[in-house]
Amino acid sequence: QVQLVESGGGLVQAGGSLRLSCAASGRTFSSYHMAWFRQAPGKEREVVAAIIWTGSTTFYADSVKGRFTISRDKVKNTVYLQMDSLKPEDTAVYFCAAKVGSYSVSASLYPYWGQGTQVTVST
């Protein structure tokens, strides 16, 4: 089992940057696939980015391609989401999630979740 704690959210102007961090506990963190999801008010939770346990494969939603970068540090047991060129439509609560087994970008297949961190992008 793994526990996840997100940090790094906040208020930023459009065009700015933020880096989210997700610190994981558990000695088997390196074997988990990791993903970032987000949920805006009144909308369903959606995948933003995902990274396979080896770090060799990543996925990005079309809406964030070229602007966001997911990475992981196995020594620090941390996964990051670098967000650049932020837009007001990126405003949401961002969640970190983890799973073992098959790599997936479906939220319903991720059993472990952090508490979420708010990202607000102003115009």
Side-chain angles (χ1 to χ4, degrees):
Q1 187 166 340
V2 63
Q3 293 182 326
L4 307 171
V5 179
E6 301 100 332
S7 61
L11 173 64
V12 64
Q13 287 188 331
S17 298
L18 283 175
R19 188 176 80 157
L20 305 184
S21 299
C22 174
S25 63
R27 291 184 293 178
T28 59
F29 168 75
S30 60
S31 64
Y32 283 79
H33 310 306
M34 303 296 297
W36 287 96
F37 295 84
R38 68 185 180 187
Q39 188 166 20
K43 294 187 177 181
E44 293 189 354
R45 191 168 298 188
E46 62 176 0
V47 64
V48 176
I51 186 166
I52 202 169
W53 73 275
T54 60
S56 60
T57 299
T58 56
F59 168 89
Y60 295 96
D62 287 343
S63 58
V64 306
K65 278 182 183 176
R67 300 188 297 120
F68 290 11
T69 304
I70 189 172
S71 61
R72 65 189 302 162
D73 186 329
K74 292 184 178 181
V75 173
K76 295 183 178 180
N77 277 9
T78 301
V79 64
Y80 303 98
L81 185 67
Q82 177 67 41
M83 306 186 295
D84 299 317
S85 301
L86 282 161
K87 303 176 181 180
E89 50 263 44
D90 295 318
T91 295
V93 178
Y94 284 70
F95 298 89
C96 173
K99 73 180 302 293
V100 293
S102 300
Y103 178 54
S104 173
V105 298
S106 174
S108 63
L109 298 181
Y110 279 77
Y112 305 112
W113 291 82
Q115 81 287 353
T117 185
Q118 176 70 47
V119 171
T120 303
V121 184
S122 64
T123 56

